[in-house]
Amino acid sequence: MQGPRVSVLVAESPLPVRRPPEHRRTGTVVRLRALAGGGLGAGRSVVLTRWPAELLPGHKKLSLSQLCTGSDQSIRTTEEPPPQESLLAAMKVELTARTSQTSKAGEETPPPSPSASAASPPAEDAPLLPDAGVRRRPACGRFSQRSGSFRREVSRAAAETFLLTRLTLILLRYLGIGYRWIRQFLALCCYTLLLMPGFIQVVYYYFFSSQVHRSVVYGDQPRNRLDLYIPTSTTGLKPVVAFVTGGAWIIGYKGWGALLGRRLAERGIIVACIDYRNFPQGTIGDMVEDASQGIAFVCKNIASYGGDPSRIYLVGQSAGAHIAACALLNQAIRECGEEDTSSWSVSQLKAYFGISGGYNLLNLVDHFHRRGLYRSIFLSIMEGEESLQKFSPQVMIMQSSARSAVPLLPRIILFHGTSDYSIPSVESQAFIDALQQQGAKADLFLYEGKTHTDLFLQDPLRGGRDKMLEEIASVIHSEDPDNSAQHLVVPVARRLVPEFMLKLAGKVLLGRFGQQDGHRKKKSFLKPQLT
């Protein structure tokens, strides 16, 4: 209720009024919004109370008709509640009046005795009034609340389903009928089916583990949500990873980071998987903005979840690596200029890890076109051909306007598989070379024979040792101030999918055509274009 609270003593109304549960102590019985032009003014909130006049000195009696006609000269605004003795006496009077009004006409029912109250116990959720008085609630109240909550959940699910269907139709209109993307889509479906035994276990962990805090709101947009993966140990502040997942800028979702979040949480690291708008719901500018807002939320609020605000690391995978790198560079450029940097600072990040990312879009347009992400839709995602340089981190750091921002960047570590044909490994190599030329601290880890999804999915599903995750964890824990990570016992991850299914899934997703295309394109990437 907005505005000052006005306590009005209604002495002339004999009608019983139900008292809302949130006003048990103040004696409020009903709320009334003043009519336009009335004595209280339009939009003012009024509280009507039925206290005996002798209990509230200084309050004048006022009828309901006088209130509606605007006679507000006798209304008194008070900030102090009535004395406790007055409240208790008024509750007794109201309880007695309500009991007598429910009796038959012409009969007078005495107040219930203590023995009668003990014989008929109150409802489970009914609050007690003074002197063992009971205010009973309707039995259907709880059911109505649950029904209303269920209806809201169904309405929300229906709205999200409608939105997803509409966006899918828009995307299909962009894609049209083409054998390349249809082939890739079918391969992705077969790949998912082969890894389904592991995905089911990860989904169960995602929805039912007490370590997962799902859909924490960080912004105003529909996709401004993030998932938190909290370690079981609660001793001391934990290092934090802000993770931006991949998905070809089209099918990205925060839930894709459940496996990475679980593995890092087992190593005593809090993981925040940031969701963002996908195309066609948003373009690359919207995605970078969402990622930046998610990072700002983590920097400002992670301490309330047991995280250490001074040890935050940024991780991105595939398209998420590109989006996170853009957000990082844009923030560094803003800090060098006169723009507002109150949301977060690059100095709050200890390092950036990029997994199988692409950092020069000028080299990737034709490559993605041959793999089913057609040139027209890719340029629509990237807001036109003229924006490719603007959203290419490798190109950005070579420009004179951004060179002064490079020293502000944290340590940059990139991971890539040499058999990655979705985004060739030379993309990471070229980005590292450009960073080192500008004096940035940058390192590259290449994994022989690993594909685009091996580092992020197949290797964690395989169980046992995971070289990339161990490298990330060692970098993070190397800066642990109390060296508690040295005593951290990390359980050996068990295998979630049989090995033959993992190998078959990799071959299905890669395919014979993808392998030929990758070898053919790898030669043209040896000399990346720098503008």
Side-chain angles (χ1 to χ4, degrees):
M1 181 165 54
Q2 299 178 352
R5 174 172 292 182
V6 180
S7 180
V8 182
L9 180 63
V10 180
E12 299 179 7
S13 174
L15 298 178
V17 203
R18 287 191 177 181
R19 182 166 45 172
E22 64 269 21
H23 296 288
R24 299 167 188 164
R25 297 291 303 277
T26 61
T28 305
V29 292
V30 70
R31 291 179 180 177
L32 179 68
R33 186 165 296 280
L35 301 176
L40 293 178
R44 296 280 302 277
S45 296
V46 183
V47 178
L48 303 183
T49 57
R50 294 173 56 238
W51 304 116
E54 59 273 13
L55 297 181
L56 298 177
H59 285 65
K60 297 182 179 181
K61 295 183 178 181
L62 183 67
S63 66
L64 189 59
S65 60
Q66 289 174 326
L67 176 65
C68 296
T69 55
S71 337
D72 59 346
Q73 299 302 322
S74 59
I75 298 176
R76 175 178 174 182
T77 303
T78 176
E79 298 293 337
E80 297 294 333
Q84 185 68 18
E85 300 83 5
S86 302
L87 292 176
L88 297 178
M91 289 179 181
K92 296 178 183 178
V93 171
E94 183 181 355
L95 178 62
T96 304
R98 188 173 303 173
T99 306
S100 62
Q101 289 168 359
T102 56
S103 61
K104 296 183 180 179
E107 296 181 4
E108 186 173 350
T109 305
S113 62
S115 58
S117 301
S120 57
E124 183 179 80
D125 60 343
L128 294 178
L129 293 179
D131 292 345
V134 178
R135 177 169 55 82
R136 298 186 181 276
R137 295 178 181 174
C140 61
R142 198 184 315 172
F143 176 76
S144 301
Q145 292 178 357
R146 292 180 179 178
S147 299
S149 177
F150 177 74
R151 285 194 295 269
R152 285 192 298 270
E153 292 294 333
V154 171
S155 300
R156 185 181 306 170
E160 293 179 355
T161 302
F162 174 78
L163 176 62
L164 180 62
T165 303
R166 183 172 63 85
L167 294 176
T168 302
L169 294 176
I170 295 174
L171 180 61
L172 290 175
R173 186 180 65 185
Y174 274 96
L175 290 172
I177 304 298
Y179 79 94
R180 289 192 181 97
W181 77 263
I182 294 177
R183 181 194 64 197
Q184 294 292 338
F185 176 76
L186 294 176
L188 181 62
C189 292
C190 295
Y191 173 85
T192 304
L193 289 175
L194 287 169
L195 300 184
M196 189 58 66
F199 289 161
I200 291 175
Q201 299 176 65
V202 175
V203 168
Y204 181 85
Y205 167 82
Y206 178 73
F207 282 104
F208 297 102
S209 175
S210 59
Q211 298 175 246
V212 184
H213 297 212
R214 299 188 308 275
S215 297
V216 179
V217 178
Y218 71 81
D220 299 330
Q221 296 299 325
R223 295 290 295 272
N224 289 170
R225 307 287 188 272
L226 58 85
D227 296 331
L228 290 172
Y229 299 83
I230 310 297
T232 54
S233 174
T234 58
T235 58
L237 296 178
K238 308 296 182 183
V240 183
V241 162
F243 177 65
V244 184
T245 186
W249 304 274
I250 296 176
I251 58 173
Y253 181 61
K254 58 187 175 62
W256 302 162
L259 187 56
L260 177 72
R262 179 178 181 177
R263 294 292 184 242
L264 290 180
E266 292 173 348
R267 290 166 169 80
I269 302 170
I270 295 178
V271 180
C273 291
I274 301 172
D275 205 2
Y276 54 89
R277 284 169 285 180
N278 288 182
F279 185 82
Q281 193 176 16
T283 57
I284 183 62
D286 301 319
M287 303 176 198
V288 174
E289 179 184 355
D290 289 351
S292 182
Q293 289 186 12
I295 297 170
F297 178 89
V298 172
C299 292
K300 292 180 180 179
N301 301 279
I302 200 60
S304 60
Y305 296 94
D308 189 348
S310 63
R311 289 187 294 158
I312 299 178
Y313 300 81
L314 181 61
V315 180
Q317 187 264 337
S318 189
H322 167 254
I323 295 171
C326 288
L328 181 63
L329 282 174
N330 287 344
Q331 184 65 24
I333 293 173
R334 280 196 293 266
E335 292 182 16
C336 289
E338 298 180 355
E339 299 185 38
D340 181 25
T341 59
S342 58
S343 57
W344 62 286
S345 174
V346 174
S347 61
Q348 295 177 270
L349 302 181
K350 305 292 289 184
Y352 163 77
F353 300 94
I355 305 172
S356 306
Y359 309 99
N360 190 347
L361 302 182
L362 298 174
N363 290 334
L364 292 172
V365 177
D366 295 334
H367 174 74
F368 287 149
H369 180 79
R370 284 191 291 268
R371 296 187 61 83
L373 186 56
Y374 299 131
R375 184 183 182 91
S376 58
I377 188 173
F378 183 72
L379 293 179
S380 298
I381 296 172
M382 299 302 162
E383 301 176 0
E385 190 169 2
E386 64 279 359
S387 297
L388 292 179
Q389 296 187 25
K390 176 183 175 182
F391 293 105
S392 294
Q394 180 183 336
V395 178
M396 292 170 61
I397 61 173
M398 302 299 293
Q399 297 174 350
S400 58
S401 58
R403 289 178 182 175
S404 58
V406 173
L408 300 179
L409 297 176
R411 181 185 178 187
I412 295 177
I413 303 174
L414 304 184
F415 304 95
H416 223 120
T418 58
S419 297
D420 187 344
Y421 304 124
S422 297
I423 300 179
S425 59
V426 290
E427 272 288 293
S428 293
Q429 182 65 64
F431 188 36
I432 286 292
D433 292 341
L435 286 168
Q436 292 176 347
Q437 290 177 12
Q438 299 301 319
K441 297 172 291 184
D443 298 291
L444 173 65
F445 290 85
L446 292 176
Y447 295 91
E448 190 68 29
K450 299 295 184 180
T451 65
H452 188 70
T453 57
D454 274 333
L455 298 178
F456 183 66
L457 282 178
Q458 280 98 305
D459 285 352
L461 290 173
R462 214 172 246 113
R465 293 189 57 188
D466 190 320
K467 294 182 179 180
M468 187 191 72
L469 288 181
E470 288 180 355
E471 188 64 40
I472 293 175
S474 65
V475 172
I476 293 175
H477 287 308
S478 64
E479 301 181 6
D480 196 327
D482 57 0
N483 295 324
S484 60
Q486 296 180 0
H487 308 287
L488 181 66
V489 178
V490 180
V492 178
R494 62 185 182 85
R495 178 182 292 274
L496 302 181
V497 180
E499 183 64 26
F500 80 94
M501 297 182 71
L502 290 171
K503 292 183 178 180
L504 183 58
K507 292 181 180 179
V508 168
L509 188 62
L510 182 63
R512 184 172 59 88
F513 294 97
Q515 193 174 19
Q516 290 179 349
D517 177 63
H519 286 298
R520 183 170 58 250
K521 189 59 182 174
K522 189 173 182 180
K523 296 180 180 179
S524 64
F525 269 83
L526 294 178
K527 295 182 179 180
Q529 301 176 1
L530 297 179
T531 303

